[in-house]
Amino acid sequence: MTDQELVAQAIAMQEFSYVPYSKFPVGAALLCADGTVFTGCNVENSAYGSTICAERTALLKAVSEGRRSGWTAIAIAGQGEDYCWPCGACRQMLYEFAPDLRVLAARRDGAFQTATLSQLLPHGFGPASLNMGRDT
Ligand SMILES: [Zn+2]
């Protein structure tokens, strides 16, 4: 699958966003090494703090279906004029499972930029951070 195809899947997922408050639909598509794609959209809530982002929706779908590894890239597509990079909470959640994940951030016109998750969250806190020098 090409990067453009993954971005296209993220753009298509905006259709399912539930965004009555922000009016800012976001779609995401998480690609695994075997070609499996887990998609997601943002789902808002009247209790704003309960809102979940598109990329975390895709992440939860993957993990809840037994896919915790082998993630190669995630595309995130918003409808703004700027590239739709993941928020801090999503960067942290993704880092847990795939610190070297490629992130494709798309804007309204479908153009996108890429970065690795480690570039977006340098010195990130992950499972290895909990080792604290103990033998496991
Ligand atoms: Zn987020």
Side-chain angles (χ1 to χ4, degrees):
M1 173 172 296
T2 67
D3 287 352
Q4 288 79 9
E5 289 169 339
L6 193 63
V7 168
Q9 288 200 33
I11 291 170
M13 286 305 296
Q14 293 174 359
E15 174 185 355
F16 302 116
S17 293
Y18 176 71
V19 289
Y21 309 107
S22 74
K23 315 287 191 205
F24 190 79
V26 177
L30 175 63
L31 176 65
C32 300
D34 69 354
T36 303
V37 176
F38 294 93
T39 56
C41 63
N42 51 340
V43 181
E44 295 182 345
N45 191 273
S46 52
Y48 294 169
S50 299
T51 293
I52 187 165
C53 302
E55 51 272 50
R56 268 182 292 153
T57 301
L59 176 155
L60 293 173
K61 287 170 70 176
V63 172
S64 66
E65 294 181 25
R67 300 299 296 268
R68 298 179 185 170
S69 62
W71 305 356
T72 58
I74 188 167
I76 307 158
Q79 293 190 345
E81 294 181 8
D82 291 329
Y83 299 99
C84 194
W85 295 105
C87 77
C90 288
R91 293 177 193 203
Q92 179 63 44
M93 285 288 287
L94 290 165
Y95 192 89
E96 179 81 9
F97 300 98
D100 297 319
L101 190 67
R102 292 178 62 239
V103 178
L104 317 176
R107 60 186 188 193
R108 178 178 12 200
D109 64 3
F112 60 94
Q113 292 185 335
T114 65
T116 66
L117 191 55
S118 294
Q119 289 173 317
L120 298 176
L121 189 64
H123 310 290
F125 188 90
S129 304
L130 295 175
N131 188 356
M132 298 182 292
R134 292 174 295 174
D135 292 333
T136 53

